[in-house]
Amino acid sequence: MASGYAAVCDGHGFPDASAYAGQGPHPIGIAVRSAKGPGTGADADLTSDVAELPAEWRARVNTALQLVACVTVLDVVEVRRCEYRVIGSTTGNSLFETRLSNRVLRVEVRSARTGKPVSDAVEATTRTTTCAATAKQAAFGSDVNLNQFGTLTEAERDDLLRGLVTATV
């Protein structure tokens, strides 16, 4: 849903959206993008990680949406390399590795109707240090990015947005 509201992050409002006014909760959507362009892969899985908002924060219809949280991946900081054994390998010690990185995020909340910011943008950094128990290996010659990236926990995401969603405006 929120990816359709990415234009709000560029300052373009949707006149049919509800005004950010009255008593909360104010329905919010999330749009995710990368500051480094589409080639980083750092934002590839972030949308699903941050878009599952509490039910009372979601808009039942698009015109009821009042806010859009614009989440921009500013940078990726490698934490460590994760080593995995190839399943079914006949060579005994066949290994592959992926990189585990944290993301530096900029979160700015804008009015869905006007496209204007409703608060100052904040930066947040994910704090992942643990490699996944298993990982997929990229096919030979593939340009698919199978590296691992930290995400905000639900509590961290909600703490960033709660004040604006529940406010009386």
Side-chain angles (χ1 to χ4, degrees), residues 80-161:
R80 62 186 283 200
R81 292 177 185 247
C82 305
E83 195 172 87
Y84 298 93
R85 187 168 313 282
V86 177
I87 295 175
S89 171
T90 57
T91 59
N93 288 332
S94 293
L95 301 175
F96 70 96
E97 66 179 33
T98 64
R99 294 182 174 143
L100 176 66
S101 300
N102 281 316
R103 300 180 243 223
V104 179
L105 307 171
R106 179 178 187 267
V107 181
E108 180 180 50
V109 179
R110 292 176 170 256
S111 162
R113 177 183 269 181
T114 66
K116 295 184 187 316
V118 297
S119 68
D120 292 334
V122 295
E123 277 193 19
T125 302
T126 60
R127 295 185 295 261
T128 301
T129 59
T130 305
C131 295
T134 61
K136 292 182 181 180
Q137 182 179 18
F140 182 75
S142 170
D143 60 353
V144 174
N145 184 345
L146 296 177
N147 290 326
Q148 302 170 41
F149 298 98
T151 60
L152 293 176
T153 65
E154 288 181 14
E156 290 169 328
R157 179 208 55 215
D158 293 354
D159 285 347
L160 287 171
L161 303 175

Side-chain angles (χ1 to χ4, degrees), residues 36-48:
K36 292 189 170 196
T40 67
D43 61 333
D45 66 336
L46 188 59
T47 301
S48 61

Side-chain angles (χ1 to χ4, degrees), residues 1-119:
M1 168 177 118
S3 62
Y5 292 97
V8 173
C9 299
D10 293 323
H12 305 288
F14 293 95
D16 292 341
S18 295
Y20 178 51
Q23 195 170 2
H26 303 282
I28 189 168
I30 296 180
V32 178
R33 58 193 186 166
S34 175
K36 292 189 170 196
T40 67
D43 61 333
D45 66 336
L46 188 59
T47 301
S48 61
D49 290 332
V50 299
E52 279 303 312
L53 295 165
E56 63 274 12
W57 292 11
R58 291 185 233 149
R60 298 201 195 303
V61 294
N62 289 343
T63 55
L65 192 72
Q66 294 180 18
L67 300 170
V68 174
C70 303
V71 180
T72 305
V73 179
L74 298 176
D75 200 6
V76 223
V77 180
E78 186 174 325
V79 175
R80 62 186 283 200
R81 292 177 185 247
C82 305
E83 195 172 87
Y84 298 93
R85 187 168 313 282
V86 177
I87 295 175
S89 171
T90 57
T91 59
N93 288 332
S94 293
L95 301 175
F96 70 96
E97 66 179 33
T98 64
R99 294 182 174 143
L100 176 66
S101 300
N102 281 316
R103 300 180 243 223
V104 179
L105 307 171
R106 179 178 187 267
V107 181
E108 180 180 50
V109 179
R110 292 176 170 256
S111 162
R113 177 183 269 181
T114 66
K116 295 184 187 316
V118 297
S119 68

